[in-house]
Amino acid sequence: MLLPRTKEREYRFKLALRMGLPIFALIVAFISHTLVTNYRTLESTFYIEAVLLLAFSVYFIFYLIYNGFNVKITDDVTGTFTREYLYKYLKSQINSKKDYTLILISIDNLNDINSVYGIKNGDKVLNEVAEWIVSYLRDEKIEGYPIGHLKGGDFIIGLDGYKENYTTVLDLMCLKASEFKVGDIEVKISGAISDTTYSKKLDYLIDNLFEIQESIRGSKGRSKDENIDPNELELSVIEAITNCELIISAQDVIGKDERFKECFVKLKGLNQKLIFPKTYIKIINKLGLGVEFDLMVFEHLVSVYDQEEKIAINIFPTSLRNENFLRKVKDLMRDRKNLKVIFVLYEMEYYSHTNRYNAIIQSLKEYNISIGIDRIGSIHTSFLYLRELDIDYIRFDTYYSRQDKLEKSRNIIEGFNAMAHDRGIKTWIKNIEVKDGYNLAKELNIDFIQGRYLSEVEKFYEKD
């Protein structure tokens, strides 16, 4: 439902009249009935009150019309519904209909378009894509649906029925969009589809659309946990964190002169169902429970691990920048002189306050805590942190763990190795499964190697 400006004004005007006219009609009917049945006995004050009541009702109608123009229904750039109005509309549709489908259409390179061609051209692309979506669906005999601008380059479409009715339409739309251009600007478009069989809650449905889109982009299989009701999944994660229901496993990481263990955490949710990191990390981020989760895991690790060998554990970067987390970690490590810990960090968005970051890292070193950066050679933030932070370890992205990828990327690995070693930083690769991959990693002078070729993952803690 793409509304031109004149159409939008007409829509608001009609909406205001629909709200105000029934009240006006009721007042007129009341006054008319009173005049007909009691006109001989009416006092003069009634006529004054009737005029005032009519004047007030007319004022009320004009107020609704005026106020209606202040309520923003459509987005200025795209002509589609605003996010606020779209959410309100979709919620009413989902609640009133048994089967309902949502489609996400995204302009994947909108940020690049804004940077290279300017924001005005970016706005032009948004408008053209919205028009193209509507035109394409019209050709498919699909009309009378809501479409709204969610954020950035993302549009949401609502359609009656199950997603099976529209999956082919979406696939063909994305295929046709592979060569989409606005003038000379190349536009990359992707899509995802979900329906109310997943959830009847709009927020969960929209989150699911973005998860599906990410899995398609990364060509990753979907987690078994994604079939669980999302509300139940959230409750499971919250309960597991609240009750400290976790299983910790570990795998050896082997170097030339030393070794340590990396720890992995699974949660036990409702009915003792296991929840894996791929699933619970998204929920923890969404609920803002990163610090609570990391503290719970770290406290348990420190309490059960009494060896002098190092342990490595993944933590949220936001936890490392949280004063409460840092204070409690230092308190826990103060009396454990033999325990050495590596915090492994990974984040998509670059944290630019590197002076503060380095100050935090330095303050942790006196408590035998080292810092490792994950996914080097894949995520650009990892490279920037290698360049700018006083870290101790870098771990190569799992893309390089397969022998053929490692061999093909030999120059990249050697370059990162040289850069890291020049700064006194140790390199580390995981998921090495075969002997030839192990020999190649040694040949490339990677300091630490991890994988099932060397050792299996073993459970060493589970709450009784």
Side-chain angles (χ1 to χ4, degrees), residues 228-259:
I228 302 174
D229 179 86
N231 187 53
E232 179 186 331
L233 203 52
E234 283 190 9
L235 292 174
S236 286
V237 171
I238 292 169
E239 181 178 87
I241 294 174
T242 302
N243 298 325
C244 301
E245 294 284 356
L246 69 161
I247 299 172
I248 303 177
S249 302
Q251 185 178 42
D252 289 328
V253 182
I254 299 172
K256 297 172 185 175
D257 303 316
E258 67 170 326
R259 65 168 60 197

Side-chain angles (χ1 to χ4, degrees), residues 81 83-96 100-102 145-148 150 156-159 196 200 202 205-206:
F81 287 142
R83 181 170 61 187
E84 293 75 15
Y85 187 81
L86 179 72
Y87 269 51
K88 181 180 177 181
Y89 187 93
L90 290 178
K91 283 177 181 177
S92 67
Q93 293 294 299
I94 290 169
N95 291 334
S96 63
Y100 204 71
T101 292
L102 294 186
Y145 53 86
I147 175 172
L150 188 67
I156 295 288
I157 302 164
L159 299 165
T196 46
K200 292 286 283 184
L202 180 60
L205 274 171
I206 290 177

Side-chain angles (χ1 to χ4, degrees), residues 303-330:
S303 67
V304 301
Y305 202 80
D306 56 2
Q307 302 178 40
E308 292 190 18
E309 190 176 52
K310 283 182 186 177
I311 54 173
I313 183 167
N314 287 267
I315 70 164
F316 292 96
T318 48
S319 294
L320 195 68
R321 300 191 287 264
N322 182 277
E323 294 297 333
N324 184 50
F325 176 82
L326 290 171
R327 184 173 61 255
K328 290 189 177 181
V329 163
K330 291 174 182 178

Side-chain angles (χ1 to χ4, degrees), residues 264-323:
F264 312 97
V265 179
K266 291 179 284 191
L267 297 178
K268 287 194 294 184
L270 299 172
N271 302 318
Q272 298 297 294
K273 287 182 180 177
L274 290 181
I275 310 172
F276 296 87
K278 180 182 176 182
T279 299
Y280 70 65
I281 285 175
K282 291 182 290 189
I283 294 172
I284 286 172
N285 277 325
K286 180 181 176 182
L287 299 177
L289 296 174
V291 172
E292 290 85 347
F293 173 78
D294 283 339
L295 278 175
M296 175 196 71
V297 173
F298 189 73
E299 286 173 355
H300 279 76
L301 267 177
V302 168
S303 67
V304 301
Y305 202 80
D306 56 2
Q307 302 178 40
E308 292 190 18
E309 190 176 52
K310 283 182 186 177
I311 54 173
I313 183 167
N314 287 267
I315 70 164
F316 292 96
T318 48
S319 294
L320 195 68
R321 300 191 287 264
N322 182 277
E323 294 297 333

Side-chain angles (χ1 to χ4, degrees), residues 187-406:
V187 183
K188 295 178 182 178
I189 293 174
S190 65
I193 188 169
S194 187
D195 62 23
T196 46
T197 56
Y198 177 77
S199 175
K200 292 286 283 184
K201 291 188 176 181
L202 180 60
D203 289 340
Y204 290 141
L205 274 171
I206 290 177
D207 286 344
N208 184 235
L209 284 171
F210 284 103
E211 289 167 9
I212 293 169
Q213 189 181 61
E214 283 302 313
S215 68
I216 293 170
R217 286 171 179 167
S219 300
K220 298 175 183 176
R222 297 189 65 191
S223 165
K224 65 180 90 173
D225 293 329
E226 292 178 22
N227 296 320
I228 302 174
D229 179 86
N231 187 53
E232 179 186 331
L233 203 52
E234 283 190 9
L235 292 174
S236 286
V237 171
I238 292 169
E239 181 178 87
I241 294 174
T242 302
N243 298 325
C244 301
E245 294 284 356
L246 69 161
I247 299 172
I248 303 177
S249 302
Q251 185 178 42
D252 289 328
V253 182
I254 299 172
K256 297 172 185 175
D257 303 316
E258 67 170 326
R259 65 168 60 197
F260 55 86
K261 291 184 181 294
E262 182 181 15
C263 298
F264 312 97
V265 179
K266 291 179 284 191
L267 297 178
K268 287 194 294 184
L270 299 172
N271 302 318
Q272 298 297 294
K273 287 182 180 177
L274 290 181
I275 310 172
F276 296 87
K278 180 182 176 182
T279 299
Y280 70 65
I281 285 175
K282 291 182 290 189
I283 294 172
I284 286 172
N285 277 325
K286 180 181 176 182
L287 299 177
L289 296 174
V291 172
E292 290 85 347
F293 173 78
D294 283 339
L295 278 175
M296 175 196 71
V297 173
F298 189 73
E299 286 173 355
H300 279 76
L301 267 177
V302 168
S303 67
V304 301
Y305 202 80
D306 56 2
Q307 302 178 40
E308 292 190 18
E309 190 176 52
K310 283 182 186 177
I311 54 173
I313 183 167
N314 287 267
I315 70 164
F316 292 96
T318 48
S319 294
L320 195 68
R321 300 191 287 264
N322 182 277
E323 294 297 333
N324 184 50
F325 176 82
L326 290 171
R327 184 173 61 255
K328 290 189 177 181
V329 163
K330 291 174 182 178
D331 288 341
L332 288 167
M333 292 292 290
R334 189 167 283 114
D335 299 324
R336 290 172 172 81
K337 303 298 183 183
N338 293 328
L339 181 61
K340 297 179 180 179
V341 177
I342 303 169
F343 284 155
V344 182
L345 311 176
Y346 152 66
E347 62 183 331
M348 293 285 291
E349 296 297 325
Y350 175 66
Y351 181 75
S352 59
H353 302 291
T354 50
N355 287 337
R356 178 172 180 259
Y357 224 158
N358 274 323
I360 291 170
I361 292 170
Q362 288 300 324
S363 73
L364 291 172
K365 290 185 186 296
E366 61 183 279
Y367 294 91
N368 289 329
I369 298 175
S370 307
I371 302 296
I373 298 296
D374 204 2
R375 299 196 65 182
I376 195 76
S378 174
I379 304 300
H380 77 281
T381 53
S382 300
F383 168 71
L384 293 175
Y385 287 155
L386 165 62
R387 188 184 71 185
E388 297 175 11
L389 296 184
D390 300 326
I391 55 177
D392 305 281
Y393 302 86
I394 57 167
R395 181 161 67 184
F396 292 108
D397 187 78
T398 51
Y399 169 86
Y400 304 101
S401 298
R402 278 179 46 184
Q403 183 193 347
D404 58 333
K405 301 292 186 184
L406 191 58

